[in-house]
C-alpha cells in the first residue's frame, strides 16, 4: 500500500508542476518557465499540451 500512495503522490506533484508550467506559459514565455522552475524540455512539451487542452 505504501508504494501505491507514493505513486499517487508523485503523480499529483507532476500534475501540479505541469499546471504551474502551463500557467507560466500563459502569463510569460517558455524561457520564464525554464528559468523559474528549471523545467526540462519534456516538461515544457507536456505543459504546452495541457495548456492547449484547457484552451479548448
Amino acid at each position: 500500500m505504501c508504494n501505491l500512495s507514493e505513486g499517487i503522490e508523485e503523480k499529483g506533484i507532476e500534475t501540479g508542476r505541469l499546471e504551474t508550467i502551463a500557467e507560466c506559459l500563459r502569463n510569460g514565455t517558455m524561457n520564464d518557465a525554464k528559468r523559474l522552475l528549471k523545467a526540462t524540455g519534456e516538461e515544457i512539451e507536456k505543459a504546452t499540451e495541457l495548456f492547449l487542452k484547457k484552451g479548448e
Side-chain angles (χ1 to χ4, degrees):
M1 190 66 164
C2 184
N3 289 338
L4 177 61
S5 63
E6 287 175 5
I8 292 170
E9 180 182 21
E10 287 175 16
K11 184 66 176 172
I13 290 169
E14 178 185 351
T15 300
R17 182 168 170 82
L18 292 177
E19 288 179 357
T20 302
I21 293 168
E23 188 65 28
C24 283
L25 294 173
R26 275 188 210 96
N27 296 322
T29 67
M30 190 179 309
N31 288 333
D32 290 338
K34 285 182 178 179
R35 182 177 48 83
L36 293 172
L37 300 170
K38 297 182 177 149
T40 65
E42 182 180 341
E43 288 175 318
I44 295 290
E45 288 177 29
K46 286 182 180 179
T48 300
E49 290 173 14
L50 180 67
F51 172 72
L52 293 175
K53 275 186 186 176
K54 288 192 175 198
E56 294 177 347

